[in-house]
Amino acid sequence: AGLGEFRIRDLNDEINKLLREKGHWEVRIRELGGPDYARIGPRMLDHEGKEVPGNRGYKYFGAAKDLPGVRELFEKEPLPPPRKTRAELMKSIDAEYYGYRDEDDGILEPLEQEHEKKVIAEAVEKWKMEREARLARGDEEEEEEENIYAVDDESDEEGGKEKEGEEGQQKFIAHVPVPTQQEIEEALVRRKKMELLQKYASETLMAQSEEAKRLLGL
């Protein structure tokens, strides 16, 4: 390492040149019918030389592996973190994930109430200022607020009737004919009679009863 960067690079290039020459001789020996030393010969150990992937067999030895720009080539990129499955992701989802426990800490709710009071006070103050400004211009006089519960006096097509009290004040408006208590009781009695007749009377008696009603015009 004390030889300097340029001397180390020259020595490393010389070693790679000798390795290439050795490879050429091995190919020539095999062409002449000799043994295949590339297959049966001793292999170079990893600690003696490292080859950068995609560098066409160029190896770095000793201090050459720590030269600037070379060290980064041998650093392995960290593996990407494993992706979580859908089931693993769902394990961490609870009510707090959806914000249902935001008020449990006792901090958010008082802040919201304080902000709400502030907004309401600002809205009321703005309304008062606008109303005073309109009154100052004479655009409107002091008038009573509109009664949202007032009932229209006009009657509809069903002939609704307006009933007034002793002092002439409006009580209610009937837009549809409302039966009295006596009419309701008479209707119930008629219905009960018809149920008893259908239950106990014979068909002949029923026919006679219907004929009598028809003649009487009932």
Side-chain angles (χ1 to χ4, degrees):
L3 297 178
E5 178 181 351
F6 298 103
R7 179 58 178 162
I8 292 174
R9 290 184 183 275
D10 292 340
L11 290 176
N12 198 78
D13 290 341
E14 184 67 22
I15 295 173
N16 279 272
K17 181 179 178 181
L18 295 174
L19 289 176
R20 286 195 300 271
E21 185 176 353
K22 175 176 177 292
H24 295 327
W25 282 113
E26 291 174 350
V27 173
R28 182 57 178 165
I29 293 172
R30 188 174 64 252
E31 291 176 353
L32 297 175
D36 189 358
Y37 290 104
R39 183 171 60 87
I40 64 176
R43 298 187 177 275
M44 183 178 297
L45 300 178
D46 292 338
H47 69 274
E48 294 182 357
K50 285 188 176 182
E51 178 181 349
V52 177
N55 208 15
R56 295 186 179 181
Y58 190 91
K59 299 180 183 296
Y60 292 91
F61 298 88
K65 294 181 290 187
D66 297 327
L67 291 174
V70 179
R71 186 186 305 107
E72 291 78 2
L73 299 177
F74 292 109
E75 291 179 355
K76 295 183 179 179
E77 296 182 359
L79 297 176
R83 297 186 60 182
K84 293 184 178 180
T85 62
R86 187 177 183 87
E88 293 175 346
L89 293 175
M90 294 299 294
K91 289 181 180 179
S92 59
I93 295 179
D94 52 8
E96 187 174 0
Y97 175 83
Y98 292 102
Y100 293 138
R101 298 178 182 173
D102 290 347
E103 299 178 357
D104 293 350
D105 55 2
I107 300 176
L108 181 61
E109 189 171 356
L111 293 176
E112 289 180 346
Q113 293 177 356
E114 182 180 355
H115 182 70
E116 183 180 0
K117 293 179 181 179
K118 180 180 178 182
V119 172
I120 293 175
E122 292 177 354
V124 172
E125 186 66 23
K126 181 180 179 181
W127 176 81
K128 289 181 179 179
M129 293 177 60
E130 292 179 353
R131 190 166 183 269
E132 292 176 357
R134 290 196 300 269
L135 291 175
R137 293 195 304 266
D139 293 345
E140 63 179 5
E141 298 178 354
E142 286 288 345
E143 58 181 10
E144 297 180 356
E145 295 184 358
E146 181 182 358
N147 184 9
I148 62 174
Y149 300 103
V151 183
D152 191 5
D153 294 340
E154 298 181 358
S155 60
D156 57 3
E157 296 181 356
E158 285 79 10
K161 299 179 180 179
E162 176 181 346
K163 295 185 178 181
E164 298 182 356
E166 295 179 356
E167 298 179 359
Q169 295 181 355
Q170 176 179 330
K171 281 190 174 183
F172 67 91
I173 299 176
H175 296 282
V176 295
V178 180
T180 62
Q181 185 67 24
Q182 183 179 358
E183 293 175 348
I184 295 176
E185 293 177 355
E186 292 177 355
L188 293 175
V189 171
R190 289 195 300 269
R191 181 178 178 183
K192 190 65 176 178
K193 287 181 179 180
M194 292 299 299
E195 292 178 354
L196 293 174
L197 287 174
Q198 292 176 358
K199 186 175 182 180
Y200 298 106
S202 61
E203 295 181 0
T204 303
L205 184 58
M206 289 289 296
Q208 292 176 356
S209 177
E210 293 293 334
E211 182 66 19
K213 289 181 180 181
R214 186 181 63 79
L215 294 176
L216 293 175
L218 298 177

